[in-house]
Amino acid sequence: MDGIPCLRVQSCHAQELKRSLQSRGFLDRSRCFVKDSDGSVLLPILHSSLVHLDVQSPANSSIGEIVWRKCPVKSKKTKGRTGGKLEKILEEFLESYGEVLTEELRRDLPRSFQLHGDLAILGDGCFTLPVWKKMEDQLWSAVSGALGVKRLATMGRISKNGFRSPVVTMLLGEHSWVTHVDNGIRYEFDVTKCMFSAGNITEKLRVAALDCTGETVVDLYAGIGYFTLPYLVHAKASHVHACEWNPDAVEALQKNLQANKVSERCTIHQGDNRQLQLSDVADRVNLGLIPSSEDGWPVACMLLKKNTGGVLHIHHNVTSPLQTAEDVIQRDSGKKADKEAWQAWADHAANRIASLLKDLTGATWRTNVQHIERVKSYAPHVHHVVLDLECRPS
């Protein structure tokens, strides 16, 4: 697509999302924020962040979506500049080695980075040219100084070890544990072993806004506590059973429960949740696994309270029909096709869950689609959505 990608958000969410995007290195600081005619706010985002760092449309149109604008206004702080602080420092750094910052080298500089306190994580598509190798001992100190951090790392693709561990290599610094704060919740984790998904922030905000007073929640894919902690800290769940099979994520989850002073209201179940020895306990089950959590549906049904039922929050990547050029021009038409695809998947899930519950209990259950929420978009026609499905015995 042409133009500058922007995150359109309601004004009430703008500051929270701005802080999150900025801390992750996703915000295009060379552009100003724009208030649109409908009162929403457009936050400019780096192109590279959409692809490499997986920052896409968080939530549905009530919270945010990615839109493209031809020419958002440049920030007064950067208007007229040809390069930032990093480029200037590296230009001087190269000169000290008798080298010149050529256009090829300039293209090899990082365009975005994730920021975790005093640690910056660069993408894997930078500093790839041979000239950098001969000055590596001093290079990372120069880069960290320009970015205002003490530690530096680089990120590659997500590993295929079954745990979705990040491939992060430390370049500078003695350890790789970091602290990140979202919506007043403290997350500690090892960046070389655990993922932190900033793109899920609006779903975490939505979970935090739920009233789970007196409820028992099961988080089938807890990770480091992305949703477990909002349920405990803000939604005030009575107890959360957190299931996670990655031992590194479990270590971080334990630290995070203690850091947020909610350990006594959470039980961690380490291992494959399909082997979980737990049933008939949950008022809510969170199934936050993509591209599909369908393998966990039978477990979720087993966990719901048999007498009263509860709500399943089911995450899934839904593919909608490819949009034509006319659909792109007529924005409402493309949105309608997306929503029809989400609804079709939601209806399938509701029918499948009802069937699983009947097989499990021998009784008929009613399933009701309460809400469908878009969390992210991986492409114009692939969307990460969450279905809130109410399940009650008839």
Side-chain angles (χ1 to χ4, degrees):
M1 295 185 180
D2 296 328
I4 303 298
C6 297
L7 180 63
R8 182 200 297 275
V9 300
Q10 290 184 355
S11 58
C12 60
H13 294 294
Q15 287 303 317
E16 180 72 34
L17 290 171
K18 173 199 165 189
R19 285 193 295 269
S20 178
L21 293 169
Q22 187 168 322
S23 70
R24 313 301 290 172
F26 297 159
L27 200 65
D28 185 348
R29 299 187 188 186
S30 69
R31 305 279 174 179
C32 290
F33 312 138
V34 177
K35 192 164 186 177
D36 219 350
S37 57
D38 61 358
S40 63
V41 177
L42 302 183
L43 305 177
I45 297 173
L46 295 168
H47 284 80
S48 55
S49 296
L50 292 174
V51 178
H52 183 72
L53 298 179
D54 188 26
V55 178
Q56 301 286 344
S57 305
N60 65 6
S61 57
S62 68
I63 294 182
E65 63 176 335
I66 295 296
V67 297
W68 295 76
R69 287 293 179 264
K70 284 291 184 184
C71 190
V73 180
K74 284 194 173 183
S75 167
K76 292 180 181 178
K77 293 182 180 180
T78 59
K79 201 176 291 184
R81 293 186 183 179
T82 58
K85 183 177 179 180
L86 176 62
E87 186 172 318
K88 179 175 175 57
I89 286 179
L90 288 180
E91 186 172 18
E92 295 172 355
F93 178 76
L94 284 165
E95 288 176 359
S96 70
Y97 280 84
E99 300 286 349
V100 176
L101 183 62
T102 62
E103 190 58 38
E104 184 182 24
L105 286 173
R106 186 175 281 107
R107 288 195 298 269
D108 201 33
L109 299 181
R111 298 301 171 194
S112 62
F113 58 92
Q114 295 184 29
L115 187 62
H116 299 279
D118 69 345
L119 187 151
I121 304 179
L122 310 176
D124 63 347
C126 59
F127 298 117
T128 59
L129 295 175
V131 68
W132 303 115
K133 296 295 181 183
K134 68 180 183 181
M135 53 188 78
E136 226 171 35
D137 290 345
Q138 302 299 321
L139 174 62
W140 306 132
S141 294
V143 173
S144 64
L147 298 180
V149 297
K150 296 179 180 178
R151 295 180 292 161
L152 206 62
T154 183
M155 177 179 283
R157 299 291 180 181
I158 300 302
S159 67
K160 298 180 180 179
N161 60 1
F163 298 141
R164 286 182 58 79
S165 302
V167 180
V168 174
T169 303
M170 292 297 295
L171 303 173
L172 183 69
E174 295 181 356
H175 69 92
S176 50
W177 277 84
V178 300
T179 299
H180 185 74
V181 178
D182 256 356
N183 195 26
I185 297 175
R186 184 183 180 92
Y187 298 89
E188 298 179 18
F189 58 101
D190 185 336
V191 295
T192 67
K193 297 177 180 178
C194 301
M195 291 179 60
F196 187 88
S197 180
N200 287 343
I201 184 171
T202 50
E203 179 60 13
K204 285 183 282 188
L205 288 171
R206 195 175 75 93
V207 167
L210 295 173
D211 182 3
C212 298
T213 305
E215 293 186 354
T216 297
V217 178
V218 179
D219 189 353
L220 279 183
Y221 308 95
I224 67 171
Y226 309 109
F227 298 112
T228 293
L229 291 167
Y231 275 117
L232 289 166
V233 175
H234 294 306
K236 303 301 180 183
S238 177
H239 198 87
V240 174
H241 293 274
C243 306
E244 177 55 45
W245 70 347
N246 181 349
D248 296 313
V250 169
E251 181 184 1
L253 176 58
Q254 290 169 335
K255 287 180 178 289
N256 294 331
L257 290 168
Q258 293 169 3
N260 291 279
K261 297 179 172 57
V262 290
S263 297
E264 71 282 357
R265 290 162 45 219
C266 184
T267 302
I268 298 176
H269 302 269
Q270 184 173 345
D272 190 336
N273 60 34
R274 290 169 295 187
Q275 309 302 320
L276 187 63
Q277 299 299 307
L278 201 63
S279 63
D280 190 21
V281 297
D283 298 291
R284 280 176 206 274
V285 182
N286 198 78
L287 298 101
L289 180 67
I290 53 173
S292 175
S293 62
E294 195 158 355
D295 283 349
W297 293 3
V299 182
C301 291
M302 178 183 68
L303 289 165
L304 284 176
K305 291 181 177 178
K306 292 180 181 178
N307 291 334
T308 56
V311 177
L312 305 182
H313 301 281
I314 306 173
H315 293 235
H316 192 80
N317 283 357
V318 178
T319 301
S320 55
L322 287 171
Q323 297 180 21
T324 65
E326 186 66 23
D327 289 334
V328 174
I329 295 171
Q330 298 180 9
R331 185 163 160 256
D332 290 341
S333 175
K335 278 192 169 186
K336 181 180 178 182
D338 289 338
K339 290 180 179 179
E340 287 174 350
W342 304 344
Q343 186 65 53
W345 168 77
D347 291 341
H348 158 74
N351 291 333
R352 175 65 178 144
I353 293 294
S355 176
L356 287 170
L357 286 166
K358 184 175 183 180
D359 291 344
L360 183 67
T361 65
T364 301
W365 285 62
R366 292 175 287 103
T367 54
N368 173 44
V369 176
Q370 288 185 329
H371 183 66
I372 305 172
E373 184 89 358
R374 182 175 63 183
V375 180
K376 299 193 278 254
S377 296
Y378 296 100
H381 61 288
V382 181
H383 306 284
H384 171 186
V385 300
V386 181
L387 163 64
D388 296 346
L389 185 68
E390 183 183 23
C391 308
R392 305 294 180 191
S394 297

